[in-house]
Amino acid sequence: MAEQITCWLGMTLMVLGLGMPQAVKASAQSSGDEQATSRRLEIVAPFDIKGADPLLSGILFQRMQVVETLVEVDATGELQPGLATVWKVSDDGLEWRFTLRSGVQFHDGSRLDAEVARQSLEIARAKPGILKSVPIERIVAADDHTLVIALSEPFAALPAYLADYRQQILAPASFDESGTAQQVIGTGPYRMLRMTPPLSLEVTAFEDYWGEQPEVRQARYQAVSRAEGRALIAESGDADFTYGLDPASRQRLSKSPRVTLAAAATPRTMLLKVNANHPAFQDPDVRRALSLAIDRTAIAQVVLRYPRGASQLFPPMVEGWHDPALPELHQDVFEARALLDAAGWTVGEDGVRQKDGQRLAISLITFSDRPELPLVATVLERQFHAIGIQTRLDITNFSAIPAGHHDGSLDMALFARNLAMVPDPIGNVLSDYAGTPEAPGGDWGAMGWFDADFTAELERMAREGYEPTPEGQDPRAQASGVIQQALPVIPIAWYYQNLAISHRLQRAQVDPWERSFGLSELRWAP
Amino acid sequence: MNQVVEGLAPQRVDAVRRPRLDWPLRRVIGAAIVASLVLLALLGNLVIPGDPLEQHLYRALQGADAVGVSDAGEVITSAPLGYDHLGRSLYHRLVAALGLSLSIAAGAVILAAFSGISLGLLAAGRGGWAERLLSLVADSLLALPGLLLVLMVSVILPSTPLALWLGLSLVLWVEFFRLARATGRSVLASPGVEASRLLGFGAWYRFRHHLWPEMAPVMMTAMAFGMANALMAIAALGFVHVGIPEPTPELGTMMVELLPYWREAPFALLTPVLVTFLLLLGLLLMSGSKARTSTAADTLEGARP
Amino acid sequence: MNLPSRLLQLLMVVLMVGGTSYLMMQSLPGDAAWRIAAGRYGYDALDAAAAASVRAELGLEAQGGLHFLYWLGDILRLELGTSLISGESVWVEIRHQLGNSLSLAGAALGISLLIGPPLGLLAGLRAGGWLDRSLLAVCSLLRATPQFLLALVLILLISVEMGLLPAAGHGEPQHFILPAMTLALGLAAVSARLARDAMAAVTQTAFHDFARWKGLSNAQTFWRHGLRHVALPLVTYLGLQFVTLVEGVVVIESIFGWPGIGHALVHAIFSRDVPMVQGTALVLGVGFVVINLLVDLLGRQLDPRGVK
């Protein structure tokens, strides 16, 4: 397994590095092959299509490369030119100038200019989304090719925010009067052929795309919500590209003659959110005891079938934020029990710990959209049972987690969090772990835990960037250290994206940032 | 949940030819299967004690093992059927699941039979607007797919055995109502009942001595069939993740959980499948084919009450 | 059943679905905005701001006592509103999904008719013969197998092991075969028994004996005298299979990724898209009453006895 992952990571990088020049060659060679160019690529993934608006299914349109953003991201997380070729910030950090790519056409034939981009961003800004937390004063089209974003205070991570799928640039004709997109008219290498929510859509190559023409000319996306269903489709050879495989199916498919498995580390971590307002969990030692009760290796190997569990919040692929020097989270049931005893929670007659007449019985919310979550929750229930904590599982709709955060009813919640929705994790760290003293933390992060210095430091980083401290330390690693020490959330496992790729395809790649299926880079096998 | 089809084919009951509950071989086999599974549910944990929730993660999906002592010196309870994907004893989960499924299904059937028969007899006895109103409600319930009703109830109530129980009862009572009303109509009009009433016997006496003997065979059949439908529905709901929540073992959810491992550990998946299948088969054999597929005239009459 | 009582039944169905949907909406009022936002935005993007915007947009807070009456009024005027998730009109969505489900159900019904009744008739002609006995065994086994297991077995055998048909998906004709087969086998198991019993009954009647006695062949007897009698229960039963089909469709569509009304219903129930739940339930309920009415009429055509 481990070799497989490294092997695929290597291949991914190789494809990224060598893809371009070879792509030209490959398309020249295969241009005579009508069969290959008219073939339709079949993609199967779990995500339903909800509608044309970026807020609803924008991430899917981005993955299908129908739409593009001003800023793109490469496999290592470095920002790359997208629809904007260059950007720079004024010395006071308050004015960003983005130079737009020239000669870009939308799928309806209209031209991209700064005014169109401005409208698209304004519409995105009016809707719920991460752009709301950026101190934008106004967006101006300075001239045809220059978009100016004026801020009320410096914000170094702005370009990364513009790479988020919700900031995709759509043609004005996409929107109705209320600013809701009714059609997807983007600038990507593929244009929408037909969309039949909730389960399928079809794209075809866009002849007037500004960049390279892709070899795969037609592709169809199908949403299959059940993991078993997806695995079966992959196994029977009906899908070329199957996304989101469950651990058991992975094992099985690895022996299949029709497909190859691919995996890539992704900035997604399985977390246990703990309510630090709870009488027991106020005490950091009790949170530490919870962490010590968890056998991450067994969970990873048996349930998720990964080589190991999470040793800290950020996986190694998130450079800067992952600090290899941090002491690893580990299991030690005896120490966990000792910590609980010391905190005054003693084992009662029924085997459940109690303090001042209150039993340590809590509920753990999770959801089944990701099939591994209920399984891990079931394991956690037993492992907490072993240290005298009674856990009631509540497997429900995931909306119960932020809802419980806001009404204060949540005890613990288990979920998978994308730590880099914005390619720069600062966006997530700010929204999940900063907050205000009155409303500490965020819906998918800390609850009831607030550290004023930590928050101030995060805000400074967002403003100024990640210059090393005078002592030569990375401030991001220091922030990770604070989280590791206080454990407002308890990391359990780091995720990998798992795909099955049919042998009809060559050089498939996995985008670790979950932004693209990589259609335009794919080649048909000869 | 085929209660609609069956509901429309009530057995004709006339006072002269009293139907007997006969026990052909098919029924005996069915009853024997069901009885042995009920025994397993009741006694399984006494024969081989164990905890259906206890996990031995590193034994996940392994086959059966004998009683042994672990490195830490703890006694490992044996798992005669091997372990599931989280290293829990399949045998003990199966026993617990059988108990739960059976009690929900039996509870639903009992509630449905009780309310269905009372309302049916009320309708038959009172006649007039009471009968018309009740029949209308029953007919309209029939017009809604049963699974939909259960789903809706389980959204209104949180996903607990209670929701399943109530939802299933809501679907199942119609069958009993229709059967009771049909029987009640003919029996209540019979000279025997008339005589009882004139002799001053109470309502309970009349039910016990005139109505129930007429209804019993049909009702028993309907109950067995209702049980089968309820068990099937619980499994199907587990499959669309509206069933009993984790970690409580339940036959439907056990199957769903083990489904991804069908190639790695086919036996693990096969055990709940086999038990469910046998249970349903037993109940269907018990209910016999007569109540389900009756003659042309009966079906037609049932469709146009 | 006559037309007025069918209409009354129709009204009751509408009231019951409306009432249940209203209860659904009311059962967790604070949660509704969260659930809807969850359905729209997914777990990565769901936050308090998203829920707040949903709450403001749909006016979920303002619900007084008169609300139920307005609610019912809307339903009676057949105004089903728009889906809370996609913002699309419920009618438009249902029309699209119903088409998919109906074509699947139609295919299943077709296959089940090809398998079930012919086998049943053959078995019924020789009641007690080897065909009759083995059919009974197969039917009992099929009836005791939950549909999702049947689906799994078919997928594993036909599509994974043999590679003959696609395992799941939608759009090409071959995608119909496996889900339709799964549904059809369950239906055929019952219709075969029904046809067998009816046929067995017919062969024991006096008119059948008479027909044979006067020199008609087996086939002639069947076509002239048997078929009509056998058709009657079958037609009645087929109309009723609609509901069985719908229930099967919920499970089968979810396994095979079929974008039909069952899939939509489960999704709508999960994300609390009450207008969609209400719309789909209404369409299913009303459809069932209408089909019953048609079956009544067809039954009367086949058997004119008893009509004044």
Side-chain angles (χ1 to χ4, degrees), chain A residues 40 42 47-48 50-51 55-57 59 128-130 132 165-166 196-200 220 222-226 229 232-233 235-236 238 258 268 367-370 396-400 402-404 406 416-418 421 443-444 514, chain C residues 31 34-50 53 85-88 93 96-97 152 155-156 159-163 165-172 175 253-260 263 267 270-271:
Chain A
R40 189 173 69 184
E42 301 284 343
F47 322 105
D48 271 5
K50 289 164 194 142
L55 210 52
L56 296 178
S57 293
I59 194 154
I130 50 166
K132 276 227 188 313
Y165 72 91
R166 282 164 286 198
T196 37
L199 295 186
S200 75
R220 184 167 68 147
Q222 281 196 77
V224 177
S225 54
R226 300 189 74 91
L232 287 170
I233 296 179
E235 196 165 7
S236 64
D238 297 318
R258 296 196 181 101
R268 194 180 276 283
F367 53 95
S368 55
D369 296 47
R370 282 184 169 264
T396 176
N397 186 286
F398 57 81
S399 64
H406 284 275
R417 180 64 170 156
N418 181 347
M421 292 270 283
D443 294 352
W444 298 96
E514 303 188 30
Chain C
D31 198 39
W34 279 108
R35 285 260 184 145
I36 295 160
R40 283 191 189 177
Y41 305 131
Y43 45 78
D44 278 341
L46 175 68
D47 58 15
S53 80
I85 306 298
S86 66
E88 187 86 62
E93 297 225 333
H96 174 71
Q97 289 149 348
L152 186 77
I155 291 177
L156 293 186
S159 131
V160 178
E161 295 301 327
M162 299 190 221
L165 289 168
H170 172 249
E172 314 294 331
H175 285 132
E253 285 183 350
S254 127
I255 299 184
F256 288 97
W258 193 267
H263 185 272
H267 257 64
F270 258 78
S271 47

Side-chain angles (χ1 to χ4, degrees), chain A residues 260-274:
Chain A
T260 311
L261 290 184
T266 180
R268 194 180 276 283
T269 304
M270 188 188 287
L271 296 176
L272 185 70
K273 176 187 173 97
V274 180

Side-chain angles (χ1 to χ4, degrees), chain A residues 177-191:
Chain A
E177 320 79 63
S178 69
T180 308
Q182 300 294 336
Q183 294 177 62
V184 189
I185 308 172
T187 55
Y190 294 95
R191 65 183 169 82

